[in-house]
Amino acid sequence: MKTPILVVEDDRGMCELLEIGLGRRNFDVRWTTDPRSVLTRLMQDAVEAVVTDLHMPGLSGIELTKQLVGNRPDLPVVVITAFGSMESAVEAMRAGAYDFVTKPLEVDALALVLNRAVQHRALREEVKLLRKAVAATHSFGGMIGDGDEMRKVFDLVHRAAQTDVSVLITGESGTGKELVARSIHNQSPRKNGPFVPVNCSALPEHLLESELFGHTRGAFTDARNARRGLFQHADGGTLFLDEIGDLPLSLQPRLLRVLQERKVRPVGSDAEVDIDVRILAATHQKLEQAVEEKTFRGDLYYRLNVVQLHLPPLRTRGNDVLLLAQHFLDQTAARLGKRVERLNPKAAERLLAYNWPGNVRELHNCIERAVALSSYDQIGIDDLPERIRDHRPTQALLISDHPSELVSMEEIERRYILRVLDIVSGNKSLAAQILGFDRRTLYRKLEKFGLPS
Ligand SMILES: Nc1ncnc2c1ncn2[C@@H]1O[C@H](COP(=O)(O)OP(=O)(O)OP(=O)(O)O)[C@@H](O)[C@H]1O
Ligand SMILES: [Mg+2]
């Protein structure tokens, strides 16, 4: 298909020459000798770029460029200027022209500039579409995702929000567990109440206890004043117990009692206080396993796990990587006041190939850094951290038909171990079992190959 463009030039002979010349180079040339008719003409003709002469009776090329930029900012304008007249070229660019070419016209040079202009326009349109797609999924409390798995997550978030049951949110680090918890709260009838997050792994046991349940004055040496616990702070709202897998075994029966009785008893107090709190909990650990190993109480696990919501790792979310990347890119560019608009295709390819052990958080950091570094309107592979730039997908490479890509048995072993570990999410016992090693052998191999053990 030929690319439709409009030529504005008062010399009819020149118009006809361009029609033939550009016509041979895959352009469908419409032309007019009257610059004042251009805006109306564009309402009927869908063209992708405009070429205009500078000196025309009625309206100058500069004036026309300004009109076009004002009315049709999507259309790139290429201005034809006299050879050697730098001033008019500068003036045209200031007026908002995409580029200029000089007389005497070389059709090849003009075709080149036009091709670039049209491509540039197509990219801008693509960015707009992508932004719309991102905006359309925004209703889930700032959560982006378009794949089947994430749609199921959004659906479950929505349904869980209508109820008051406990939800256990699972998923690797950085997959968005806290975001999901906030989103459930914000869509729930408790949305006007407080959302109180508490990290169960951040505090030593006794501090966590008084933090959660509160304490009376003099309950322990440092307790100079009575203090309300986080359960009470969350009254009427939601308490988010993050890293619940790290909740000390000794505190678990107390938490269970609160969940059953809906009452808390502050440390050092005999009296119980009624509370109305919804509990959400999150963990990156396999709690079932902890229950089997008796490091987590089964009865508490079943109380917390009325609904389980699992967040898939980013590496299995397919094109969501690019959707999220574009979202973080727009956000960061706006914040830093930079005109970075998109990822170039090579960078996008690398992001898709990488395995994202740190999931969405890692992607977020990577894009923030890239936007800050980038000196163009797009992010290229040089703006990506080395580990992502140089990442080689472990699958597919095992067997190749190309002699230059064939590798040693040792390298096969290294890659296969990596691949197995990847699939079992780093579970060493399981990996060793699959590989037919005992754990000691697996650790020895990891060390030998310089892999994290
Ligand atoms: N679907 C998503 N759309 C947009 N942003 C997301 C999405 N998922 C996660 N994020 C962002 O990624 C970052 C990490 O998310 P979050 O803190 O919720 O993860 P987490 O699972 O709680 O991680 P950790 O286990 O390390 O605590 C946050 O900045 C969050 O806003
Ligand atoms: Mg978290």
Side-chain angles (χ1 to χ4, degrees), residues 140-145 150 154 169-181 199 240 242-243 282-284 311 317 320 324 327-328 331 358-362 364:
F140 291 96
M143 275 188 296
I144 308 288
M150 284 312 282
F154 295 156
I169 305 162
T170 59
E172 289 177 17
S173 168
T175 46
K177 296 185 292 294
E178 177 151 359
L179 196 61
V180 159
N199 188 331
F240 174 50
D242 204 357
E243 306 296 354
T283 179
H284 67 275
L311 285 167
R317 294 191 207 171
D320 274 12
L324 281 160
H327 168 72
F328 294 140
Q331 229 179 31
N359 294 294
V360 185
R361 179 175 296 114
E362 187 182 9
H364 191 185

Side-chain angles (χ1 to χ4, degrees), residues 35-36 38-39 59 61-73 95:
R36 283 164 305 193
V38 169
L39 284 182
L59 191 70
I62 299 290
E63 287 306 318
L64 176 60
T65 302
K66 285 181 185 162
Q67 278 190 1
L68 285 170
V69 170
N71 289 287
R72 291 292 305 271

